[in-house]
Every structure is written in C-alpha cells, then in structure tokens.
Amino acid sequence: MAHTDHQTMRRVLRREIAGTIGLLTDEHDFRAMRRYRSFTFDDHQTYLRQVEAVLRARAAQGTHTTLALFDPEDYAAYCTQAGLDPEAPASRSRFTAELAATGPTIPYDGRPLATLVPALVDEAVRQATWEYAATLLSRLGPCPTCGEDIGKAAFTRASELLIRILDTAPPGDRHLVCSVSGPPDTLVAVLHGDQDADDGIRLDEAEVLEFTSVLALGLATRSPGGLVLRASAPDTADRVYGWRLRCGGLEPLTAAEVFDAYCTDVESGDLISPESGVDYCQPPDLGAESGTPDHRH
C-alpha cells in the first residue's frame, strides 16, 4: 500500500514539473546537430513529428511545456565556455534550461507544430531586435551639452510619442509598424493592439518594449525610417496613416504619400491595386512634445 502511495505521489509531482524542449526549427540547424554522435535523429521531418508526439503526450498528462529555439552555434559556444562535453545529452539539457531562463520561449498550447514554429521564430526575432536596439541606445552615452543619457532620454520620448499615437488613433484594433534604416541593418518592429469590451487597448509588453526601443533608436540617431498605423473596426473601412522619421522627429505623411507607399510594388516600382475597404489618410495631430524642441539629443 505504501509503495502504491509513493508511486501516486510521484505521478502527481511529475505533473507539477514544467519542461522545456529546445527545438531545431529548420533543416540547416538540424544538419549542424548531426555532427554529434549522441544526436541520433537523421531526418528533420521525423524529428519534428516525434517532438510533436512528445508535446501531445505531456499535454495529455497535464504537464506544461515551453518551446525554445535551439541554436547549434550558441550551444557549441555555451559548452566551450562552461567546459561541458557537447556530445553529452546532459549538456543539451543544461543548455535548454538556460534557454528557458534567458531565451525566447512560447508555451505549447495544443496547436500544431507547423503553427507554433513560426511563432517561436517571430519571438526570437523580436527579442534579438530589442536586444540590438537596446545595445545601440546604451552606447550613445551622455549628451555633450547637458550630460543627460541620450538613449534613456530617447526611450522616454519614444514612449510618450507611442502613447499619443495610440490615444489619437480611431476606435478599433491597431496594427503599428516602425522601421529604422541604418548600418548595418534595417530594424523593423511590429505592435498589435486589440480593443477590448471597455474600449481599452490590450498590448503585449514585449512588443511594446521592442517597438519603443526601435523608435527611440531612430529618434536618437536621426536615422531615416517610418511609422505606419492601421486601425480596423467592424462595419467600417480600415484607416491607414503614418509618419516618416526625419531629423530626429516624426513628420506626418500626406494621404497621397500613404496611398503611394501602399500601392507601389517595392521591388519593381509598379503600381498595384489599392485594397478595398481601406482609407489612406493623413494622421491626426499628436500635439506639441514636452521639453525643448531644439534640444532633443
């Protein structure tokens, strides 16, 4: 009887243990892991099917599992730094545990892996974009005129601008895209805001942080770029408008400029048909910014 009780308690405890699976999402990373003899899979699609079977089994047992993006190059560097044998499965488990604490993860919620993989990749891109933008902001240092931290001041200003953009937007769900051009790469951040029953806007904190950081970087470095908002509500045409980033500020685009941007093929330059049920318009007035206009670092 005592033995049975112990088995029951262990089953209960196993359900309390959360787990993380480090996922090799693409064929290139999968082939890179095959150089380790202890990694016994030889076909990526078979590997993905087996992972999905494990996820379904754990969910059926009431066990929570998160998915993390497993990068073979990061794994090799981790093993070298920690003095671990990369051939040992225990090393992969330790690396995956590290990913669970510091890397991008998403919870397994029963959706097919084919749906979850793009979501995991998007989460990884979002975190990498935020980390890169935050690093560049931190390197800007103090203002030579007033001594204020340029990156922090730009982030505060970007936060205030984002609040005003959301507050002046038409009712409905909002979809914002901010792009900042500059060496070596163009950074793009996306922010979704869903309107709730009380007319409030639900925002993802990670998306807000990434979006604000990218906008702040564009403002602080006076880099060219743009910000576009699309508002969608039932029984009404979507409204699309935006601003260009110029000289460290937001300059409203005219309705014609927004139309041209959306109705021109980026690669060929050819005109494309406008979307039905969409109004391309001029953005609302955001009002005067706080602070001294001629001293924005």
Side-chain angles (χ1 to χ4, degrees), residues 199-242:
D199 294 332
I201 297 295
R202 297 188 302 273
L203 299 170
D204 180 270
E205 291 185 6
E207 285 189 0
V208 171
L209 185 59
E210 179 209 11
F211 191 92
T212 307
S213 298
V214 170
L215 177 57
L217 184 63
L219 297 173
T221 59
R222 296 176 173 263
S223 299
L227 193 160
V228 175
L229 181 144
R230 180 169 185 148
S232 305
D235 304 320
T236 184
D238 286 6
R239 298 188 65 187
V240 177
Y241 54 80

Side-chain angles (χ1 to χ4, degrees), residues 32-163:
M33 285 303 294
R34 290 196 62 201
R35 67 177 179 262
Y36 301 117
R37 294 187 304 274
S38 59
F39 185 78
T40 56
F41 289 96
D42 57 12
D43 178 76
H44 188 227
Q45 293 304 313
T46 301
Y47 160 81
L48 291 175
R49 285 195 295 270
Q50 293 298 321
V51 169
E52 188 155 24
V54 170
L55 289 169
R56 288 198 300 265
R58 288 176 58 85
Q61 295 167 358
T63 304
H64 177 77
T65 310
T66 56
L67 294 171
L69 199 64
F70 195 105
D71 186 290
E73 292 185 6
D74 290 346
Y75 171 65
Y78 171 82
C79 289
T80 299
Q81 184 177 9
L84 299 174
D85 178 10
E87 280 285 359
S91 299
R92 291 197 287 274
S93 297
R94 285 184 57 175
F95 177 67
T96 301
E98 188 80 12
L99 291 177
T102 62
T105 62
I106 59 171
Y108 176 69
D109 56 9
R111 287 180 292 168
L113 207 54
T115 302
L116 291 173
V117 165
L120 178 59
V121 173
D122 287 347
E123 182 65 26
V125 170
R126 180 162 57 244
Q127 180 166 321
T129 300
W130 166 71
E131 289 176 349
Y132 183 64
T135 298
L136 293 182
L137 284 171
S138 67
R139 291 175 179 173
L140 294 176
C143 172
T145 302
C146 68
E148 185 175 14
D149 186 288
I150 296 174
K152 289 182 179 178
F155 188 89
T156 299
R157 183 177 166 218
S159 299
E160 293 172 351
L161 283 170
L162 178 57
I163 290 172

